[in-house]
Amino acid sequence: MDRKVHDTLLKWKSSSGRALVLEGPRQTGKTFIMKGFSKSYHYSVYIDLEENEELKTVFEQTNDASEIYEKLSYNGIRFDTSSGDPLFIIDGIQSCPRAFSALKPLAVDGRCDIIASVPLPGVEPSEGDFPSPMGYVQMVEMGPMDFEEFLWAMGIGKELTAKIRQWIDTGSEIDVSIGSALTRYFRKFMTVGGMPAAVQKYVDTKDYNEVWDVLASICNIIEKDALRYSDKKDRLKILACLESIPSQLAGENKTFVYKDVGKQAGTGRREYGSSLDWLHRAGLINLCYNLRDPCEPLSQMERTDSFKVYLKDPGILTYMLGRETASAIESGNTYVKRVRSWRAAYHRPSYPTATGSTSTANRTVR
C-alpha cells in the first residue's frame, strides 16, 4: 500500500547526512515501509533488536561505529559497500536505549544510511554516558493511513484524489456521483480505519468480520504496550482513560470529564492527567482544545483545561463502540442508542435479516 511518508524517505535519501527515525504507534506500518524503501538501495541490512537479545549486547558494549559494525559482522550481519552506501535498518530500537544513542556515531561514520523505528513511549533519549543523538537524527512521525491513503488502497488513483483535493481547496462544486462515491468510501474508512493490516484485510476479503478480528488484535497490542511501557502506578488508569473515550464522545458533555473515567466524583487531572498524557505521547489520541477566542495564533488561545479526546484511528474508535455502531455507520444510520465496553465489543452479536429474524453471530456487517 502506498503511503505519503515514502516521499519523505526519498527526500531524506537524497540529502542524507543524518539517521532517520520513524516514530509512531505499533501496527501503523513502519516496518513495512522501511523494508519497502530498502528496495531503492542496491543492498540493505535489517535487524530487529526487540527479537534478538544478542544484537542488543553489541550496542551495549560500545558506542564506536567501527566497533559496532565489526561486532555485528561476528554475528553474521554482513555489510556490502562495494556498490555505494547500503541501507541499515534498525527495528525495535526502543528496546535498547544505547542503540538509540549510537545513531549519532553511525550517522557520522557515513558508511550506511541509517533508518530506525520506535513506538513513541519506548525510548529514552540517552542513558548513562551515552549521549543523545539529537542533531544527527531526523524524526518522522508515522500514524495510521489518512482518508486519501485509504482511497489509494481502494483503487482510487492519485490523479483523481489530486483533483478532489483541488476542488476542495478552490471551493469548486463536486459532481454528485463523485460526492456520493466519496461518502460511501468515507463510511468504509470510519468503519475499517487506517491501520494498514485492517485496510489490507478489507481489500483482500471485503469482510468486516475479518477486519473486526484484526482490530481486536491491534487493541490487544495497545493494551499490552500500555502495561509494558508505562509506570506501574498508571497502567490501569491508562486503560481506563482509553476505554472512557467512546462514551465521553457519545455523551452530552462538551469536554473530557476526568471524573467520568473512574465513575468517581472528585477525581481530576491529578489522578488521570499523566495517564492521558501517556496516550497522547504514544500517538494514540488527539487532544482538541476549546479556545478562549477564535483568533490567531490559535495555540495561544487554547484553554488547556477544556478539551475533547479523539482516537487517531477511526477504525479503533468504531471497534470500541461496538458492532452495532459499525453497522450503523456503514449504512448511514448514525443514530446509536448506547455505547458498550471495547472489551465487550469483540463478541459477535446477531444481526437482523431482511425477514426480521436474526442471523448467526458470524454474519458479515453490511
Side-chain angles (χ1 to χ4, degrees):
M1 287 179 289
D2 203 356
R3 300 294 302 273
K4 295 175 182 178
V5 71
H6 187 77
D7 292 335
T8 302
L9 297 182
L10 289 174
K11 184 177 180 180
W12 164 78
K13 180 183 178 182
S14 65
S15 60
S16 67
R18 292 189 295 173
L20 184 142
V21 175
L22 284 178
E23 57 176 359
R26 295 188 194 274
Q27 301 296 305
T28 52
K30 296 186 296 297
T31 300
F32 177 84
I33 284 293
M34 291 190 299
K35 288 184 174 181
F37 180 65
S38 70
K39 296 177 182 178
S40 64
Y41 286 78
H42 80 282
Y43 191 82
S44 64
V45 172
Y46 173 87
I47 64 173
D48 188 340
L49 295 181
E50 205 165 31
E51 299 294 330
N52 194 320
E53 290 291 332
E54 291 184 3
L55 294 183
K56 287 183 186 179
T57 61
V58 171
F59 295 94
E60 291 167 351
Q61 291 171 356
T62 181
N63 204 40
D64 179 81
S66 294
E67 290 185 13
I68 289 172
Y69 285 121
E70 182 180 3
K71 291 179 182 295
L72 287 174
S73 68
Y74 294 151
N75 285 271
I77 308 299
R78 175 174 171 268
F79 294 86
D80 181 5
T81 59
S82 60
S83 301
D85 298 336
L87 178 65
F88 184 17
I89 302 172
I90 309 175
D91 214 347
I93 203 171
Q94 79 285 347
S95 63
C96 184
R98 294 190 177 186
F100 185 72
S101 296
L103 292 178
K104 175 182 177 179
L106 289 174
V108 172
D109 178 83
R111 75 183 71 179
C112 295
D113 287 349
I114 311 292
I115 289 185
S117 73
V118 298
L120 291 182
V123 174
E124 295 298 330
S126 62
E127 181 178 301
D129 296 329
F130 290 76
S132 167
M134 296 308 173
Y136 296 85
V137 171
Q138 178 179 343
M139 307 296 291
V140 177
E141 184 176 353
M142 183 173 173
M145 298 169 69
D146 62 23
F147 182 49
E148 187 172 13
E149 291 172 326
F150 181 81
L151 289 175
W152 296 342
M154 294 297 107
I156 307 301
K158 290 186 177 181
E159 290 185 3
L160 180 54
T161 59
K163 286 183 179 180
I164 294 169
R165 181 181 292 277
Q166 183 180 11
W167 293 334
I168 294 173
D169 289 342
T170 59
S172 303
E173 183 177 354
I174 298 178
D175 183 87
V176 173
S177 62
I178 295 177
S180 297
L182 287 175
T183 299
R184 291 194 300 271
Y185 279 119
F186 187 71
R187 288 173 182 164
K188 293 181 188 298
F189 177 61
M190 294 302 294
T191 306
V192 175
M195 290 299 197
V199 175
Q200 189 63 60
K201 182 62 69 175
Y202 180 77
V203 170
D204 294 340
T205 68
K206 300 298 188 295
D207 186 338
Y208 284 112
N209 285 324
E210 296 284 345
V211 173
W212 207 255
D213 291 339
V214 173
L215 292 174
S217 175
I218 292 173
C219 285
N220 185 45
I221 291 171
I222 291 172
E223 182 173 347
K224 287 182 177 179
D225 274 359
L227 296 175
R228 180 179 180 183
Y229 291 114
S230 63
D231 292 337
K232 186 175 182 180
K233 64 181 179 62
D234 287 333
R235 289 171 182 172
L236 295 181
K237 293 179 181 179
I238 289 171
L239 296 180
C241 284
L242 182 64
E243 187 169 336
S244 77
I245 292 172
S247 60
Q248 296 230 20
L249 290 174
E252 296 180 356
N253 292 318
K254 296 182 178 180
T255 62
F256 186 87
V257 180
Y258 285 108
K259 69 179 181 63
D260 287 349
V261 175
K263 307 300 181 184
Q264 184 176 355
T267 55
R269 178 166 179 80
R270 182 176 61 182
E271 288 78 17
Y272 291 106
S274 61
S275 301
L276 204 62
D277 289 342
W278 187 94
L279 290 170
H280 188 239
R281 288 187 294 107
L284 296 170
I285 62 173
N286 285 323
L287 302 180
C288 182
Y289 292 97
N290 284 330
L291 301 176
R292 294 191 299 272
D293 192 26
C295 60
E296 296 286 355
L298 295 179
S299 60
Q300 300 301 313
M301 296 293 109
E302 291 177 352
R303 293 180 53 193
T304 56
D305 62 340
S306 180
F307 58 89
K308 299 198 79 168
V309 179
Y310 298 88
L311 283 156
K312 282 197 173 182
D313 182 64
I316 292 177
L317 175 60
T318 301
Y319 171 82
M320 293 172 67
L321 286 166
R323 286 178 175 267
E324 292 177 358
T325 300
S327 181
I329 291 173
E330 174 64 14
S331 66
N333 177 21
T334 53
Y335 174 77
V336 181
K337 291 183 179 180
R338 67 177 186 272
V339 176
R340 297 180 299 166
S341 165
W342 67 311
R343 292 182 177 86
Y346 179 65
H347 297 293
R348 301 177 185 268
S350 297
Y351 295 96
T353 63
T355 60
S357 61
T358 57
S359 68
T360 64
N362 290 321
R363 181 180 176 86
T364 302
V365 182
R366 301 259 181 216

